[in-house]
Amino acid sequence: MPRFNAAYLNLNQNYLFAEIRRRTKVFADAHPDVRLIDLGVGDVTQPLPPAVVRAMHEATDELARRETFKGYGPYVGYEFLRADIATHDFGSRGVQIAVDEVFVSDGGKSDSANLQEIFAPDCVVAVMDPVYPVYADSNVVAGRTGRADAGGRYAGIAYLPCTAENSFQPALPDRHVDLIYLCYPNNPTGAVVTREALARWVAYARAEEAVILYDAAYEAYISDPDVPHSIYEIDGAREVAIECRSFSKNAGFTGMRLAYTVVPKEMRGRAPDGTTMSLNALWARRTAIKSNGLPYVIQRAAAAVYTPEGKKQVQALVDSYMANARIISAGLAAAGFTVYGARNAPYIWVRTPPSVSSWDFFDRVLGTAHVVGAPGGGFGPSGEGYFRLTAFGSRAQTEEAVKRIKTRL
Ligand code: PLP
């Protein structure tokens, strides 16, 4: 029999979203007449922007002609898309990013899970708590954490608690860490970071020779003018920060798949013999080994997001989801719940009633309101006592879900 990689056996229970799907299916199978509303996993529901669809059709036609056919593309993404990303996502905000610092990939999930691979196995990892579970899990399977305790905590992870008591802003680690995962706007709490707080993280990373893995998958949802959109708006970040972004939640690419990671050329790491080398070069090498690049059609579709028409259509999607966020937030507050988020992020972070655990609350909302949410505890130990709803449902579903929670809970 084959022997398993023991690190995989250190994973806590099921992947959160798989467990949500499992419980939902058990309930749906037992209650076939119930119409469930899913505000749990956080998948978008609106169709692709028309500019994106048109670009896909055109790109498909290119592939149909011998003269314009494309085979294998660049591992790191086509230059036309990388240039658009550098210009529109960064240049427009006064941040200089070079085309060869942008690595196009199939997902923010894959990037945030894979980046740890190029760092030493004994690196100490810090994660916001609660947060998107992939950062912790990918380090568990890489063997950095050991087994979790009974409360689900890994001794090898430095948790950075984010709760209402600290306004969901984690303190700097009280010990040395090497890799710091920051997610802003935050999934699941919806919190954003101030420029001053982000500057403190950059200063910490520089002082500790640490790397910040900055996940800005929800950047498009920032509406407060003072909130930084990129970590590179902070002086000194280019030496210490990698930034990941995704087309999933702004342009509706959850089924299309496209994201990117920025690795500035100033970033350097140390080899075991003490010599230093470029992180950008190592990530490029790793990408060449493990990726074939993304389909041409999808990259053309992504580039359409940066056309004037595409920008307007994407903004309309974001606005519409944020209107849902306000409906949920106001509705639940009116029903007496304590609610956070919903301002610069498409997530509503709700306190569960006193002494009701987050999975019990999940089951209660599923069983009585027939609404699927996500239990806070699944995002990390400090998420216990909270519950997440997403703003990605249709308007009708969103309004109905709020009505059901208000009247049935
Ligand atoms: N990062 C965060 C914080 C997320 O919440 C998600 C998806 O929910 C992702 C990354 C994944 O994005 P992608 O669809 O590009 O893999």
Side-chain angles (χ1 to χ4, degrees), residues 42-362:
D43 197 358
V44 295
T45 51
Q46 296 210 40
L48 292 168
V52 164
V53 175
R54 198 174 58 242
M56 263 200 295
H57 283 305
E58 287 167 6
T60 308
D61 288 341
E62 282 186 64
L63 298 187
R65 287 193 300 273
R66 184 178 299 279
E67 307 73 47
T68 46
F69 171 75
K70 304 266 183 305
Y72 285 124
Y75 312 123
V76 292
Y78 281 100
E79 185 127 350
F80 65 81
L81 177 58
R82 298 163 83 204
D84 272 352
I85 289 168
T87 305
H88 294 275
D89 284 352
F90 298 97
S92 65
R93 296 191 175 275
V95 173
Q96 297 311 311
I97 295 294
V99 168
D100 56 359
E101 294 174 325
V102 178
F103 296 81
V104 173
S105 80
D106 73 337
K109 182 191 222 174
S110 351
D111 284 345
S112 59
N114 291 334
L115 278 160
Q116 50 76 28
E117 275 182 31
I118 60 168
F119 298 101
D122 59 353
C123 277
V124 179
V125 173
V127 296
M128 294 172 80
D129 168 28
V131 83
Y132 185 52
V134 169
Y135 318 140
D137 285 352
S138 56
N139 280 286
V140 172
V141 299
R144 289 201 177 88
T145 62
R147 259 179 207 280
D149 64 17
R153 283 173 185 273
Y154 292 94
I157 292 183
Y159 292 93
L160 308 170
C162 307
T163 59
E165 289 63 41
N166 64 7
S167 306
F168 304 101
Q169 297 304 330
L172 296 174
D174 52 9
R175 54 171 158 147
H176 168 79
V177 303
D178 301 290
L179 303 180
I180 304 160
Y181 289 82
L182 296 181
C183 174
Y184 286 115
N186 186 265
N187 173 12
T189 68
V192 285
V193 67
T194 62
R195 213 167 284 280
E196 297 68 35
L198 198 51
R200 282 196 290 279
W201 281 106
V202 168
Y204 173 90
R206 292 177 69 93
E208 295 290 326
E209 299 196 339
V211 170
I212 297 173
L213 300 159
Y214 192 75
D215 187 344
Y218 299 97
E219 174 274 337
Y221 288 85
I222 296 172
S223 62
D224 286 350
D226 295 337
V227 171
H229 286 241
S230 165
I231 194 166
Y232 305 120
E233 291 176 38
I234 307 299
D235 284 344
R238 284 184 58 88
E239 285 83 8
V240 292
I242 293 173
E243 181 164 316
C244 302
R245 295 225 193 151
S246 167
F247 284 55
S248 284
K249 305 296 167 74
N250 57 345
F253 273 48
T254 53
M256 300 265 281
R257 309 309 313 149
L258 197 124
Y260 67 87
T261 282
V262 175
V263 186
K265 278 181 270 183
E266 284 88 334
M267 293 191 78
R268 300 194 67 79
R270 213 178 292 286
D273 67 2
T275 55
T276 69
M277 61 182 295
S278 157
L279 241 80
N280 175 288
L282 192 56
W283 188 245
R285 183 83 176 89
R286 185 260 173 214
T287 305
I289 297 168
K290 294 207 174 181
S291 171
N292 275 316
L294 269 285
Y296 177 71
V297 173
I298 304 290
Q299 295 192 60
R300 278 289 175 207
V305 164
Y306 297 110
T307 60
E309 197 194 357
K311 279 185 186 176
K312 256 192 244 144
Q313 292 164 359
V314 165
Q315 191 57 51
L317 285 180
V318 168
D319 290 347
S320 147
Y321 289 133
M322 284 312 289
N324 286 349
R326 286 188 292 274
I327 289 169
I328 301 174
S329 167
L332 267 61
F337 288 99
T338 306
V339 203
Y340 305 95
R343 188 176 162 83
N344 292 289
Y347 292 117
I348 299 87
W349 190 235
V350 188
R351 271 252 201 225
T352 60
S355 67
V356 179
S357 80
S358 58
W359 271 118
D360 284 349
F361 193 64
F362 170 91

Side-chain angles (χ1 to χ4, degrees), residues 328-407:
I328 301 174
S329 167
L332 267 61
F337 288 99
T338 306
V339 203
Y340 305 95
R343 188 176 162 83
N344 292 289
Y347 292 117
I348 299 87
W349 190 235
V350 188
R351 271 252 201 225
T352 60
S355 67
V356 179
S357 80
S358 58
W359 271 118
D360 284 349
F361 193 64
F362 170 91
D363 289 333
R364 188 185 292 184
V365 176
L366 176 62
T368 55
H370 305 150
V371 172
V372 182
F379 296 92
S382 297
E384 189 45 67
Y386 295 88
F387 179 72
R388 191 195 77 174
L389 291 170
T390 88
F392 289 125
S394 70
R395 181 62 44 82
Q397 284 177 327
T398 300
E399 286 170 346
E400 172 69 17
V402 170
K403 194 168 109 197
R404 289 188 195 170
I405 293 173
K406 275 169 103 168
T407 53

